[in-house]
């Protein structure tokens, strides 16, 4: 109650969702927060995880909810200002939120004074648009919770921006340049890499400890050696219509003006598989081009990797590799590739790294 916020770095299955709602209810009862709860999360988490979890518990039946994910800007604004107890919105809506409340007086009218970042690593990159926006919004919230099972997948630098969002720099300082100078040095290829000192982890852990609750699944749950989790990608109506046209009519017109006409059922099958990934090959085999069609599966993959912290991603088509790599690097992940040209010795080093 005395802190501006807390980082709940709990492993998968340890109850981050129910803990968050119980904390909100208790803070509201004690009048430590007086308005609603704003939850920023990846799209799939907004649309599936939170609604499914809330349905399981009778404790929260009295809370009113709105979900901004997938809504038009006008509808988002209407729902946002409805003064519901809990508002779910995607991490990518953060810049839109700033555009709505971009002055001190407007910030005061924000109907939420508690913030939850689930998954908080979505804000680990100091210079990203969403993190810049949230840094400016941060003063509007009395209390903040960070939720993540893997808060530092790429190392200790991942923590700086997250904890700035949590308490405005009280834990790790107010500028990333000062943090880098204190806890590491530049090196690597052409001196472009930031390398933490060997003592940096322990020093940073000590600074964030008063604001952090850390529990690992392996220490508290009897887990199977492997769990299969099928995550299904839902197309919007326009994308689904295009897919059915390709599947049923063996023909697809592109917004660019070109078209795809599979010559037989086998080619149609391959084109439909490519479509589900977000694009299709067009043109002769020796001069193939890629026509991009949608980002639904790419967005879902990006959100999933963000939740997991690290992942081994299998792909089928070269263009898929290229767009996946570009997206994950842009999101701040370190990416390495294995393919038929990778030498055995190098492959082992990549996996170990």
């Amino acid at each position: 109650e005395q802190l501006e916020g807390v980082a709940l770095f709990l492993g998968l299955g340890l109850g981050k969702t129910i803990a968050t709602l119980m904390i909100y209810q208790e803070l509201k009862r004690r009048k430590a927060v007086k308005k609603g709860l704003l939850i920023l999360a990846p799209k799939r988490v907004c649309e599936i995880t939170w609604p499914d979890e809330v349905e399981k518990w009778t404790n929260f039946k009295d809370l009113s909810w709105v979900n901004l994910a997938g809504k038009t800007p006008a509808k988002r604004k209407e729902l946002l200002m409805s003064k519901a107890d809990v508002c779910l919105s995607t991490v990518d809506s953060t810049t839109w939120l700033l555009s709505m409340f971009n002055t001190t007086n407007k910030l005061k009218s924000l109907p939420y004074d508690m913030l939850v970042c689930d998954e908080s690593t979505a804000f680990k990159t100091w210079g990203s648009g969403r993190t810049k926006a949230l840094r400016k919004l941060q003063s509007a919230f009395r209390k903040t919770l960070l939720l993540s099972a893997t808060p530092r997948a790429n190392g200790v630098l991942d923590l700086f921006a997250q904890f700035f969002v949590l308490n405005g720099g009280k834990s790790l300082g107010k500028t990333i340049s000062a943090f880098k100078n204190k806890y590491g040095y530049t090196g690597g290829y052409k001196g472009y890499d930031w390398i933490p000192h060997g003592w940096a982890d322990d020093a940073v852990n000590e600074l964030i400890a008063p604001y952090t609750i850390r529990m690992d699944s392996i220490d508290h749950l009897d887990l199977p050696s492997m769990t299969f989790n099928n995550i299904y990608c839902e197309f919007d109506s326009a994308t689904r219509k295009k897919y059915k046209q390709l599947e049923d009519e063996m023909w697809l017109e592109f917004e660019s003006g070109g078209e795809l006409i599979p010559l037989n059922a086998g080619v149609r099958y391959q084109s439909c598989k490519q479509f589900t990934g977000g694009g299709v090959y067009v043109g002769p085999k020796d001069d193939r081009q890629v026509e991009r069609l949608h980002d639904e599966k790419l967005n879902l993959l990006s959100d999933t990797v963000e939740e997991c912290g690290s992942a081994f991603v299998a792909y089928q088509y070269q263009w898929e590799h290229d767009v996946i790599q570009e997206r994950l690097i842009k999101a701040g992940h370190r990416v390495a590739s294995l393919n038929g040209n990778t030498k055995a010795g190098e492959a082992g080093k990549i996996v170990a790294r």
Side-chain angles (χ1 to χ4, degrees):
E1 185 178 354
Q2 286 72 38
L3 299 176
E4 299 93 334
V6 171
L8 296 181
F9 292 156
L10 309 183
L12 299 176
L14 292 181
K16 291 189 290 291
T17 304
I18 186 172
T20 296
L21 295 176
M22 290 178 70
I23 290 169
Y24 169 67
Q25 287 182 323
E26 183 61 18
L27 290 174
K28 194 79 178 287
R29 186 185 70 81
R30 298 187 184 194
K31 302 189 185 310
V33 295
K34 299 179 179 181
K35 300 180 184 179
L37 170 64
L38 175 63
I39 301 170
L40 298 177
K43 187 171 184 285
R44 182 177 68 87
V45 176
C46 284
E47 294 179 336
I48 300 174
T49 305
W50 276 92
D52 285 356
E53 283 294 313
V54 171
E55 280 295 313
K56 297 177 183 177
W57 304 95
T58 58
N59 317 45
F60 313 119
K61 296 297 183 183
D62 294 335
L63 293 176
S64 57
W65 291 75
V66 292
N67 195 335
L68 310 190
K71 305 298 192 297
T72 64
K75 187 63 176 177
R76 287 204 304 264
K77 182 178 180 180
E78 176 188 338
L79 292 173
L80 180 72
M81 302 307 293
S82 65
K83 297 186 178 180
D85 293 315
V86 183
C87 175
L88 283 164
S89 192
T90 66
V91 294
D92 291 322
S93 70
T94 314
T95 51
W96 172 79
L97 283 169
L98 179 62
S99 71
M100 293 276 295
F101 302 96
N102 57 2
T103 67
T104 302
N105 286 336
K106 287 181 179 179
L107 268 181
K108 292 179 181 177
S109 68
L110 183 67
Y112 305 94
D113 61 355
M114 181 171 172
L115 171 70
V116 171
C117 298
D118 176 23
E119 160 76 37
S120 63
T121 54
F123 301 98
K124 70 178 183 290
T125 304
W126 180 255
S128 71
R130 64 172 70 142
T131 303
K132 286 180 178 178
L134 193 56
R135 281 154 47 191
K136 294 178 180 179
L137 292 167
Q138 188 246 3
S139 62
F141 303 103
R142 289 171 175 261
K143 302 294 180 184
T144 299
L145 284 182
L146 305 182
L147 306 182
S148 180
T150 54
R152 54 199 300 171
N154 295 323
V156 70
L157 188 60
D158 285 356
L159 296 173
F160 179 80
Q162 294 178 71
F163 275 85
F164 187 93
V165 168
L166 184 73
N167 55 30
K170 287 186 178 180
S171 296
L172 300 178
K174 295 185 179 293
T175 68
I176 193 167
S177 57
F179 179 87
K180 286 182 172 181
N181 289 335
K182 183 174 182 179
Y183 295 104
Y185 57 94
T186 56
Y189 181 67
K190 293 186 177 181
Y192 292 146
D193 295 333
W194 181 80
I195 303 170
H197 292 301
W199 47 264
D201 272 354
D202 290 339
V204 169
N205 285 341
E206 185 175 347
L207 290 171
I208 67 174
Y211 304 89
T212 305
I213 298 174
R214 176 74 198 186
M215 297 170 63
D216 292 320
S217 302
I218 194 170
D219 297 329
H220 299 277
L221 298 176
D222 185 16
L223 297 173
S225 58
M226 181 179 295
T227 301
F228 292 93
N229 181 21
N230 295 320
I231 301 173
Y232 298 98
C233 180
E234 295 288 339
F235 290 160
D236 59 35
S237 57
T239 304
R240 182 178 291 275
K241 184 177 180 180
K242 290 179 180 179
Y243 178 86
K244 290 298 292 180
Q245 181 186 35
L246 177 60
E247 184 180 50
D248 296 340
E249 302 176 22
M250 296 180 66
W251 173 75
L252 181 64
E253 185 176 12
F254 304 132
E255 292 182 2
S256 61
E259 61 181 5
L260 173 67
I261 305 176
L263 299 178
N264 53 54
V267 177
R268 176 183 61 181
Y269 171 72
Q270 290 296 329
S271 296
C272 286
K273 283 178 65 178
Q274 294 167 32
F275 187 109
T276 62
V280 291
Y281 282 124
V282 294
K285 191 172 183 178
D286 59 350
D287 188 30
R288 290 190 303 185
Q289 304 297 317
V290 177
E291 186 75 28
R292 296 285 290 129
L293 301 171
H294 65 84
D295 286 332
E296 300 293 337
K297 191 175 179 182
L298 183 62
N299 292 338
L300 185 56
L301 172 64
S302 181
D303 288 348
T304 303
V305 173
E306 200 73 63
E307 290 179 57
C308 296
S310 61
F312 190 96
V313 180
Y315 65 93
Q316 183 165 1
Y317 304 102
Q318 183 60 40
W319 68 263
E320 288 182 314
H321 166 274
D322 297 341
V323 297
I324 290 170
Q325 179 172 262
E326 181 182 6
R327 170 63 70 87
L328 295 181
I329 289 175
K330 187 176 180 181
H333 297 286
R334 293 178 297 174
V335 179
S337 299
L338 300 175
N339 54 47
N341 296 321
T342 307
K343 296 180 181 179
E346 182 63 22
K349 293 178 182 178
I350 290 174
V351 172
R353 191 166 67 240

